[in-house]
Amino acid sequence: MSLLSSVTHRSLILFGNNSRSDGHSGSYLSRFHDSLLRRTLRGENYLKLYSYHYLINGFAVLITPGQAGKLSQRREVANVVLDFSVRTATTHTPAFLGLPQGAWVQEGGPEFAGEGIVIGFIDTGIDPTHPSFSDDNSEHIFPVPNHFSGICEVTSDFPSGSCNRKLIGARHFAASAITRGIFNASQDYASPFDADGHGTHTASIAAGNYGIPVIVAGHHFGNASGMAPRSHISVYKALYKSFGGFAADVVAAIDQAAQDGVDIISLSITPNRRPPGIATFFNPIDMALLSAVKAGIFVVQAAGNTGPSPKSIASFSPWIFTVGAAAHDRIYSNSLVLGNNITIPGVGLAPGTKDKMLPMVSAVHALNDEETNVNDMPVGECQDSSILNQDMVEGNLLICSYSIRFVLGLSTIKQTLETAKNLSAAGVVFYMDPFVIGFQLNPIPMKLPGVIIPSPNDSKILLQYYNSSLERDEASKKILKFGAVASISGGIKANYSNSAPKVMYYSARGPDPQDAFLADADILKPNLIAPGNFIWAAWSSVGTDSVEFQGENFAMMSGTSMAAPHVAGLAALVKQKFPAFRPSAIGSALSTTASLYNVQGGPIMAQHTYTNPDSSQSPATPFDMGSGLVNATAALDPGLILDSNFDDFLSVLCGINGSAPVVFNYTGQRCGMSNINAADLNLPSVTIARLNQSRTVLRTVANIAGDESYFVGWSAPYGVSVSVSPTRFLIESGQKQVLNISFNATMNSTLASFGRIGLFGNKGHVANIPLSVIVKISSISTQS
């Protein structure tokens, strides 16, 4: 039994020695947990938070360290784990991914894409009033799947009728947060309602209704749709805007989602620290998700926004499908054209000045009171209209500084725009404070003409032109005339780049750390990449995750949090077509068919620095992009799949040195003699962390299409020779073929190198298997 634990009192998770498969009911296990606590802690104070009884046998409880010691000595208690914190990690992306002419057509169009599939979202909740989650925007009525048994909580801010035939389940989990005294019911909402915006955003990316108009700041940016617009949504709120979340609450949400009968779990969350212990896989969240996979649920998790450094991945286990973030081809560019014919690039979802050149006036030169301290940051940031002279600003472009205070949320673009409106300015120009180094700006909506210059160097060009154009009285140095003029081109109309996709600098990278000492696992992470940058999606009516989108129905956000639900929705399409697929088969279909090339046919590139990321690009490796960019249409016809099951994952866990008691504590399963290394898992990739001279691994492919002949080709990682047998094979429908893949180190090196195996069918099917080898030890002594 497991237990989660806080400071003097600790929220602990305990795991028991009997599992759900023993046939005990949930109520029986809950009573058993209560009885164990009473018998062990007679007369003492404690607070049980949850009983986990569907996926795992365990409970979360608030106790002292001494009480934890007593419980750990009970024979019924197998494992005691300290609770830990977690954090949160579209109009055009359906077209970018080819859904309207591809995958949706195969499913019968957007009216049917994803129908019957339930996606469970463990996030910050949902705004049920958003049209993206309505069930009455189509003549085709939503049928509620028979296999789903979840309910909707009813509270004052999530009233009866909030759920419907689209949004079919909603609960919240906050017991661990409440016991820590950090839960604010008025701010965080003790209900499934989303006070943050993040959960509403991710749910609509995966499963939002088709064709919902995106109107922000009065501008129309197109119509939005989720990847699987006919799939159903069930929400398990376990994260909150003021503090994030805790593992005890997340595990309770996972357990409930599985009990309710969801088909897919989407987690745009990651742990705040790398799990301690003999392997990163052994933590309460990943082990609960292993049980979910055993129950047939496909699990998608964000890779994390801790890139671009190696081993920054925050999703570890082979049974979890980990998604990194890529840029898609739609961009919103804005610019400022100066009177000296210099054009400065900028950002801002704002109208332009229609090529009209207008005078520019800096806020620090338009003060009502000359005694005002111009070095006071809010002055230059235009946060207070009362200190500025309207006669000097009216009809002109107001120049304001963008400082670290905007990054910290102490100043806002909205307040600057309010200042400009109060002073009747024609528009706003933001220059970047030189102390804001490397900060990447999302396009920000503005009702007024406006532009933000994100580069400090470009900001210097603006200020040099502005200051050199001022006419001053020679004696008093007072400004007589503002001579600088400029026009704002506007950033509402989208442009399309020919360099997409590219792996974003913040997307976490492999190799997958197997333990807290950063030893490398023989597992490829991330699994693949999906659009995650500048993603339009639904927004909560009270959402505050991005202050610039407060009060709007849609928001543009970036992160691996946005990439993961793209894959969750596309997995729903695969599950809809292949209902008998196990989770690993769904992952295989998505992985082996992923795209390796950008829209021009060149290699997908990866950004490698936070500052000026486009200047640091190089071809992406599997540790940047996994198998490549998700290709939904190809995933619906993969030809071959590579499958794994719970027993295979258990064998890998048992193969970790010293893991047998930990495996038993978490799963109730005893390790046998047939343990395997992670490299021997039947994954659609091969990763070898340490190649000592030679190694042979097997991969078994199953044919889910018609009879087909395949040719096998490959490129070997640098410093390694590779051979695959057979090199040709005929495989009948429903049959399997074993591939023998041999690796031989030809040099000594500690630098990772990469290759690929391609299986090319004579009926058009292609399956790609990426190869990654890190440390290479050759029998021949050579220089690395």
Side-chain angles (χ1 to χ4, degrees):
M1 176 165 324
S2 163
L3 167 152
L4 281 175
S5 149
S6 67
V7 197
T8 52
H9 280 73
R10 305 191 176 196
S11 169
L12 299 174
I13 304 176
L14 296 109
F15 294 90
N17 284 323
N18 56 318
S19 67
R20 179 72 177 89
S21 60
D22 293 334
H24 297 307
S25 68
S27 59
Y28 168 84
L29 289 177
S30 183
R31 291 194 302 271
F32 176 78
H33 299 158
D34 292 337
S35 173
L36 176 64
L37 284 166
R38 284 194 302 270
R39 285 182 281 119
T40 308
L41 306 176
R42 294 179 183 274
E44 298 182 42
N45 293 325
Y46 61 88
L47 179 62
K48 190 184 81 169
L49 309 180
Y50 298 107
S51 276
Y52 309 128
H53 49 71
Y54 189 78
L55 292 176
I56 55 176
N57 169 22
F59 57 89
V61 62
L62 186 72
I63 51 177
T64 65
Q67 291 172 322
K70 291 181 182 179
L71 281 164
S72 66
Q73 294 173 11
R74 299 286 304 208
R75 62 177 179 80
E76 301 96 326
V77 175
N79 199 20
V80 179
V81 182
L82 184 67
D83 198 1
F84 57 89
S85 60
V86 297
R87 60 189 172 198
T88 56
T90 75
T91 57
H92 177 64
T93 48
F96 177 67
L97 296 173
L99 302 184
Q101 292 79 38
W104 284 353
V105 173
Q106 294 189 36
E107 304 286 16
E111 284 281 287
F112 297 91
E115 187 168 280
I117 306 301
V118 183
I119 306 177
F121 296 90
I122 298 174
D123 214 299
T124 65
I126 196 167
D127 182 347
T129 67
H130 200 283
S132 290
F133 313 122
S134 168
D135 66 353
D136 62 1
N137 68 334
S138 169
E139 295 179 0
H140 180 57
I141 297 175
F142 278 94
V144 177
N146 292 329
H147 66 273
F148 184 78
S149 60
I151 65 168
C152 279
E153 286 183 19
V154 175
T155 68
S156 59
D157 44 51
F158 206 85
S160 178
S162 294
C163 286
N164 53 41
R165 301 174 75 86
K166 170 76 172 177
L167 173 58
I168 57 177
R171 295 174 182 254
H172 87 287
F173 302 84
S176 182
I178 290 170
T179 61
R180 295 164 184 266
I182 62 174
F183 185 85
N184 184 332
S186 61
Q187 182 180 359
D188 294 309
Y189 290 79
S191 78
F193 189 83
D194 183 10
D196 180 274
H198 189 273
T200 299
H201 201 268
T202 56
S204 72
I205 291 172
N209 285 328
Y210 174 75
I212 307 301
V214 178
I215 299 174
V216 175
H219 311 304
H220 184 215
F221 292 97
N223 296 328
S225 174
M227 299 299 102
R230 292 294 292 182
S231 60
H232 302 272
I233 294 170
S234 187
V235 170
Y236 304 87
K237 179 179 173 180
L239 286 98
Y240 298 84
K241 70 175 184 178
S242 63
F243 57 84
F246 296 96
D249 296 326
V250 173
V251 171
I254 294 168
D255 194 62
Q256 188 62 58
Q259 185 174 346
D260 289 349
V262 303
D263 300 291
I264 295 165
I265 289 177
S266 179
L267 293 125
S268 288
I269 61 175
T270 55
N272 281 330
R273 59 179 174 85
R274 190 171 286 111
I278 62 172
T280 52
F281 318 136
F282 292 119
N283 68 82
I285 293 177
D286 283 32
M287 297 309 293
L289 292 173
L290 174 59
S291 295
V293 169
K294 182 181 181 182
I297 300 169
F298 183 68
V299 177
V300 185
Q301 186 176 23
N305 298 332
T306 49
S309 53
K311 301 188 186 183
S312 53
I313 200 81
S315 173
F316 313 105
S317 298
W319 52 87
I320 299 172
F321 201 79
T322 306
V323 186
H328 55 93
D329 63 344
R330 184 195 59 209
I331 56 176
Y332 292 93
S333 57
N334 200 341
S335 61
L336 182 71
V337 182
L338 303 180
N340 60 3
N341 292 322
I342 292 177
T343 299
I344 299 177
V347 298
L349 301 170
T353 57
K354 300 179 180 178
D355 297 325
K356 185 178 180 181
M357 287 287 182
L358 297 169
M360 293 189 291
V361 178
S362 172
V364 298
H365 293 152
L367 300 172
N368 282 321
D369 185 353
E370 293 182 0
E371 299 301 317
T372 302
N373 183 5
V374 297
N375 293 319
D376 189 8
M377 295 180 90
V379 174
E381 296 164 353
C382 309
Q383 296 296 289
D384 183 1
S385 61
S386 67
I387 65 174
L388 300 178
N389 188 321
Q390 180 168 356
D391 292 337
M392 299 175 72
V393 174
E394 187 172 353
N396 298 326
L397 298 178
L398 179 62
I399 297 178
C400 309
S401 66
Y402 190 101
S403 77
I404 191 65
R405 290 170 51 85
F406 286 87
V407 180
L408 299 174
L410 302 175
S411 297
T412 68
I413 299 290
K414 277 197 169 184
Q415 187 55 48
T416 300
L417 294 174
E418 189 65 26
T419 295
K421 179 183 175 184
N422 291 341
L423 299 173
S424 301
V428 182
V429 177
F430 291 91
Y431 67 89
M432 188 63 64
D433 186 289
F435 294 103
V436 185
I437 299 173
F439 183 67
Q440 304 296 318
L441 281 171
N442 281 341
I444 293 169
M446 306 183 205
K447 290 185 178 180
L448 286 175
V451 63
I452 305 172
I453 300 170
S455 162
N457 289 332
D458 287 341
S459 296
K460 288 180 183 178
I461 294 173
L462 164 66
L463 294 178
Q464 286 169 359
Y465 166 68
Y466 171 79
N467 289 322
S468 67
S469 302
L470 294 173
E471 294 184 18
R472 295 179 182 269
D473 180 88
E474 289 188 8
S476 66
K477 301 302 181 183
K478 285 189 175 182
I479 298 172
L480 301 176
K481 181 181 179 181
F482 297 98
V485 296
S487 67
I488 298 171
S489 63
I492 295 174
K493 185 178 180 180
N495 299 304
Y496 296 90
S497 164
N498 57 12
S499 63
K502 59 186 172 187
V503 183
M504 297 306 298
Y505 64 91
Y506 53 76
S507 187
R509 312 297 167 92
D512 186 15
Q514 179 167 298
D515 55 39
F517 301 103
L518 299 183
D520 298 317
D522 291 333
I523 295 165
L524 178 61
K525 292 291 178 179
N527 293 87
L528 47 64
I529 54 174
N533 206 54
F534 297 164
I535 304 299
W536 281 120
W539 198 242
S540 173
S541 55
V542 298
T544 57
D545 190 29
S546 176
V547 67
E548 309 305 345
F549 288 98
Q550 274 187 289
E552 302 287 357
N553 267 348
F554 284 84
M556 178 181 284
M557 303 292 287
S558 297
T560 56
S561 283
M562 285 66 247
H566 275 88
V567 173
L570 299 176
L573 303 183
V574 178
K575 179 73 172 178
Q576 181 185 15
K577 183 171 182 181
F578 302 104
F581 267 18
R582 284 193 292 220
S584 292
I586 296 174
S588 172
L590 292 165
S591 297
T592 61
T593 59
S595 174
L596 304 174
Y597 306 103
N598 65 22
V599 293
Q600 284 189 311
I604 293 175
M605 304 296 282
Q607 298 176 336
H608 292 287
T609 58
Y610 186 79
T611 305
N612 300 319
D614 279 341
S615 66
S616 65
Q617 293 184 120
S618 63
T621 73
F623 289 165
D624 299 317
M625 68 173 183
S627 294
L629 179 78
V630 65
N631 182 339
T633 303
L636 294 181
D637 185 21
L640 302 174
I641 60 166
L642 296 92
D643 202 3
S644 303
N645 58 33
F646 173 81
D647 290 337
D648 298 326
F649 296 130
L650 196 66
S651 295
V652 168
L653 295 178
C654 289
I656 298 171
N657 189 33
S659 67
V662 185
V663 171
F664 179 74
N665 290 348
Y666 270 113
T667 67
Q669 306 278 331
R670 297 192 181 278
C671 291
M673 301 300 293
S674 58
N675 303 330
I676 62 174
N677 184 276
D680 296 312
L681 264 177
N682 198 41
L683 300 175
S685 60
V686 181
T687 301
I688 300 177
R690 185 178 180 85
L691 178 60
N692 191 348
Q693 299 187 31
S694 63
R695 176 83 180 269
T696 297
V697 300
L698 306 180
R699 289 296 183 268
T700 302
V701 296
N703 185 11
I704 63 166
D707 299 356
E708 194 163 1
S709 295
Y710 280 87
F711 162 75
V712 183
W714 62 88
S715 61
Y718 182 70
V720 180
S721 67
V722 173
S723 64
V724 184
S725 64
T727 57
R728 296 179 183 273
F729 58 89
L730 169 66
I731 185 168
E732 297 178 352
S733 179
Q735 298 303 302
K736 297 181 179 180
Q737 173 68 51
V738 177
L739 301 175
N740 288 268
I741 309 170
S742 297
F743 297 83
N744 285 278
T746 59
M747 64 184 294
N748 295 326
S749 175
T750 58
L751 297 177
S753 54
F754 309 94
R756 192 167 300 276
I757 297 172
L759 308 176
F760 305 94
N762 66 342
K763 294 183 180 178
H765 293 109
V766 178
N768 281 296
I769 300 174
L771 309 175
S772 307
V773 181
I774 305 176
V775 176
K776 294 164 277 287
I777 303 172
S778 170
S779 57
I780 304 171
S781 179
T782 61
Q783 292 295 318
S784 114

